[in-house]
Amino acid sequence: MAGPTEAETGLAEHRALCAQRGHRTYARRWVFLLAVSLLNCSNATLWLSFAPVADIIAVEFVLSMEQINWLSLVYLVVSTPFGVAATWVLDSVGLRAATILGAWLNFAGSVLRIVPCMVVGTQNPFAFLMGGQSLCALAQTLVFSSPAKLAALWFPEHQRATANMLATMSNPLGVLAANMLSPALVKKGEDIPLMLGVYAIPAGVVCLLSTICLWESVPPTPPSAGAASSTSEKFLDGLKLLVRNKAYVILAVCLGGSIGIFTSFSALLEQILCASGYSSGFSGLCGALFIMFGILGALALGPYVDRTKHFTEATKIGLCLTSLACVAFALVSQLQGQTLALATTCSLLGLFGFSVAPVAMELAVECSFPVGEGAAIGLIFVLGQAEGILIMLVMTALTVPRSEPSFSTCQQGEDPLDWTVSLLLMAGLCTLFSCILALFFHTPYRRLQAESGEPPFTQNAVGGADSGPGVDRGGAARAGVLWPSTATPECTVERALLEEPRGPRSPHPA
């Protein structure tokens, strides 16, 4: 086998030199990761704290189940119009300011929810509960896109997927905590103040941590070439590039739909299962298994993708398996006495679905580079919330009172509902999104190409076209490729010299 050529050897030395001169990692990146992860976790517990004990909350505050659903649905309603503004804050104002603002909104919302329990004679407790949830929903718009931004700005290339996984999966970890803690803390109406106080404590801790310990949005020296050119496009220009990027649009619609399905599943799980005779404690267990197996899957998948860079393959396979698990849940959940089968399907749904979320977010950044991470992830978040609103409203609208004898354990005093059509719709949508993504989504990894010296996109006299991996660098330079600036100036000059080692320099510099 022939050894490396002189040009290949020189290019390897050049990459090492660029890493030595222009890139550095800082230990305080782990403090930033801790703050973002805790904030994400706390925000998720506040979002879903009412759903596992919806029947007890409804009786204590004299609310209808529709009002209880709106305490979860408000996250989606608020996040949709304010999501775009949050992405601008993240990309333009900075990661530190977005994190601190999100932490304070999250804490203020958690305190406001306690007012109806602390102030005797509160006339309209629903207004305080909804106000607190709305502030927490505003915080979520700033939190959701932060993991990918944090991973891109503070972590080296070989740690990005893992860092994104840890920060992203802290959200389902919060959902897990809510599914386990709410039924354990609330056995009767008098226990509700205790539950609200317990959830406010982490919100206060992360607010203090973010305010005191986060000093800057970006490190003094970037950890990678991709970090050096992060948010290289202006915000509005970046949004225009995103909507013109066919691969990104397909990914955003399908991933946003999957987020909407998981949001609806988490919020409505207790109501679905109690209608079939399962207790709220078992519903909490199924929700906990759903999240737990998702976290375990993500812990294995994140490092694997960091090592292999199989973003597309992992996302497609994960969503296809998720659709199969979703179909199984839609069928089994309508049967009585199937506790083992239900626990298994919820576990598989989390294992395949939740675990692929951080990988899909990294894939979105790869296919949209050099657009800022906040815009790339934020647009998916907004679509996910909008699709979640639509899916949840349609699912609840399609329910009808049960005609056959009921085994319902629901305690809200209303007629038990039949969720069969709603669940089949959810399974059908999940299958549809998975098939569209598997068949029509194809993209080069633009950020990785830029960091390795390959052009993530080309633009010549004929017209712009995406170039896949393995583009010939010397030929690209001679064809007039536009290279984004992803390295220090001296490294850029050295790269141009290495790509033309024996001939005169091209009139179109790299």
Side-chain angles (χ1 to χ4, degrees):
M1 180 181 293
T5 64
E6 180 182 350
E8 291 172 340
T9 303
L11 187 58
E13 294 175 353
H14 146 73
R15 290 173 179 169
L17 181 62
C18 285
Q20 181 180 3
R21 289 185 179 181
H23 307 148
R24 178 185 172 187
T25 57
Y26 295 84
R28 61 180 178 272
R29 70 187 186 275
W30 300 108
V31 178
F32 217 138
L33 178 62
L34 176 63
V36 171
S37 299
L38 288 178
L39 177 57
N40 212 350
C41 181
S42 172
N43 187 261
T45 61
L46 294 172
W47 165 55
L48 210 64
S49 54
F50 297 117
V53 288
D55 46 2
I56 300 177
I57 299 291
V59 172
E60 178 66 17
F61 291 111
V62 195
L63 303 176
S64 67
M65 289 307 299
E66 183 179 1
Q67 288 177 302
I68 297 297
N69 288 339
W70 272 105
L71 293 178
S72 299
L73 192 60
V74 69
Y75 263 62
L76 284 68
V77 174
V78 170
S79 299
T80 301
F82 288 98
V84 176
T87 60
W88 176 84
V89 171
L90 196 61
D91 278 342
S92 302
V93 179
L95 181 61
R96 174 181 178 270
T99 303
I100 294 176
L101 177 59
W104 277 99
L105 287 171
N106 192 63
F107 178 60
S110 68
V111 172
L112 186 60
R113 302 187 328 160
I114 306 177
V115 172
C117 300
M118 297 293 101
V119 179
V120 179
T122 302
Q123 296 297 320
N124 190 0
F126 180 72
F128 288 93
L129 297 177
M130 180 63 75
Q133 292 293 93
S134 299
L135 290 178
C136 296
L138 286 174
Q140 188 197 36
T141 62
L142 298 166
V143 170
F144 190 86
S145 303
S146 297
K149 188 76 172 178
L150 173 65
L153 292 178
W154 283 87
F155 286 83
E157 178 266 341
H158 65 280
Q159 293 180 346
R160 280 197 301 245
T162 301
N164 194 353
M165 177 271 298
L166 292 173
T168 300
M169 295 313 293
S170 62
N171 182 276
L173 182 62
V175 177
L176 170 64
N179 275 293
M180 295 181 68
L181 281 178
S182 291
L185 292 174
V186 179
K187 303 298 183 182
K188 53 187 183 299
E190 291 78 5
D191 299 329
I192 295 176
L194 173 63
M195 179 192 76
L196 298 178
V198 167
Y199 287 139
I201 294 174
V205 171
V206 72
C207 184
L208 187 64
L209 176 65
S210 301
T211 305
I212 295 177
C213 299
L214 302 186
W215 303 334
E216 53 201 353
S217 292
V218 296
T221 303
S224 67
S229 61
S230 177
T231 323
S232 59
E233 295 291 338
K234 293 182 179 179
F235 181 71
L236 292 179
D237 293 337
L239 290 181
K240 293 177 183 177
L241 288 177
L242 291 178
V243 298
R244 295 172 184 169
N245 186 333
K246 178 183 175 181
Y248 175 83
V249 170
I250 293 174
L251 179 63
V253 172
C254 294
L255 185 57
S258 300
I259 293 172
I261 290 172
F262 287 145
T263 300
S264 302
F265 174 86
S266 300
L268 300 174
L269 179 61
E270 194 264 349
Q271 298 175 52
I272 293 171
L273 294 186
C274 78
S276 296
Y278 298 99
S279 66
S280 61
F282 178 73
S283 300
L285 173 63
C286 287
L289 291 172
F290 173 62
I291 304 303
M292 189 181 303
F293 276 83
I295 294 173
L296 292 176
L299 288 175
L301 192 59
Y304 169 79
V305 173
D306 256 337
R307 186 174 65 255
T308 64
K309 309 304 177 188
H310 291 164
F311 298 101
T312 302
E313 295 85 350
T315 302
K316 288 183 176 182
I317 293 173
L319 288 184
C320 287
L321 293 175
T322 300
S323 64
L324 295 178
C326 194
V327 171
F329 176 81
L331 299 176
V332 175
S333 62
Q334 296 306 292
L335 304 176
Q336 286 83 38
Q338 301 296 321
T339 54
L340 180 60
L342 265 176
T344 301
T345 54
C346 288
S347 301
L348 293 176
L349 194 58
L351 178 65
F352 300 138
F354 259 125
S355 62
V356 82
V359 176
M361 296 303 175
E362 282 293 297
L363 179 59
V365 174
E366 290 292 342
C367 79
S368 62
F369 187 86
V371 177
E373 297 82 8
I377 304 303
L379 188 56
I380 292 177
F381 170 69
V382 172
L383 283 174
Q385 301 301 78
E387 292 177 74
I389 293 173
L390 182 61
I391 291 171
M392 191 180 298
L393 289 177
V394 172
M395 285 183 65
T396 54
L398 289 176
T399 57
V400 295
R402 285 184 178 270
S403 56
E404 68 274 10
S406 173
F407 297 91
S408 173
T409 58
C410 303
Q411 301 177 22
Q412 67 271 23
E414 300 176 0
D415 294 334
L417 300 176
D418 186 347
W419 290 85
T420 303
V421 177
S422 301
L423 290 171
L424 291 177
L425 172 67
M426 182 182 73
L429 288 175
C430 188
T431 303
L432 176 64
F433 291 136
S434 300
C435 291
I436 291 175
L437 188 73
L439 295 175
F440 301 109
F441 177 77
H442 307 282
T443 183
Y445 299 154
R446 301 180 179 209
R447 182 173 60 178
L448 288 177
Q449 287 178 344
E451 291 175 339
S452 65
E454 295 178 0
F457 58 88
T458 62
Q459 182 177 341
N460 50 39
V462 178
D466 289 336
S467 59
V471 177
D472 176 75
R473 287 181 287 272
R478 288 187 291 274
V481 172
L482 296 180
W483 295 62
S485 175
T486 58
T488 57
E490 57 269 31
C491 288
T492 303
V493 173
E494 289 170 2
R495 179 175 62 191
L497 292 174
L498 286 168
E499 287 167 353
E500 295 287 350
R502 294 185 177 85
R505 290 167 59 180
S506 168
H508 303 283

